Amino acid sequence: QQNQMTLTQSLGNLEYNIQVLELEKTSLKQQLRKQIEEEVNIGKQLQQKYGDGSIDLEKGEFIPVS
């Protein structure tokens, strides 16, 4: 019986930890969606301001589409 109680307690602790991780996963997914939306909005703003092109990250230069 002692072994069964220990196993039951361990399973309960494991399930609790799983639930905590699921909540953290959900929160991180929401943060990721928000980050992607912000990046898309910044990209749109830059495109409206500068037109079509790309950015050379090493030089920090905007390269317009020819």
Side-chain angles (χ1 to χ4, degrees), residues 3-5 8 13-14 19-20 24-25 28 30 32 42 44 46-47 51 55-56 59 65:
N3 192 28
Q4 185 176 3
M5 285 178 53
T8 302
N13 288 337
L14 179 61
Q19 294 301 318
V20 169
E24 185 176 348
K25 180 180 176 182
L28 289 171
Q30 291 171 345
L32 178 60
I42 290 171
K44 287 179 182 178
L46 290 172
Q47 185 179 25
I55 298 174
D56 182 335
K59 296 179 184 178
V65 173

Side-chain angles (χ1 to χ4, degrees), residues 10-28:
S10 293
L11 284 170
N13 288 337
L14 179 61
E15 184 59 34
Y16 174 83
N17 289 332
I18 289 170
Q19 294 301 318
V20 169
L21 289 171
E22 287 291 336
L23 289 172
E24 185 176 348
K25 180 180 176 182
T26 299
S27 175
L28 289 171

Side-chain angles (χ1 to χ4, degrees), residues 21-55:
L21 289 171
E22 287 291 336
L23 289 172
E24 185 176 348
K25 180 180 176 182
T26 299
S27 175
L28 289 171
K29 283 181 172 182
Q30 291 171 345
Q31 290 176 38
L32 178 60
R33 279 190 205 101
K34 185 177 178 181
Q35 178 69 33
I36 290 170
E37 288 174 5
E38 288 176 9
E39 289 173 2
V40 168
N41 287 335
I42 290 171
K44 287 179 182 178
Q45 291 173 0
L46 290 172
Q47 185 179 25
Q48 287 175 347
K49 185 173 181 177
Y50 297 106
D52 290 334
S54 61
I55 298 174

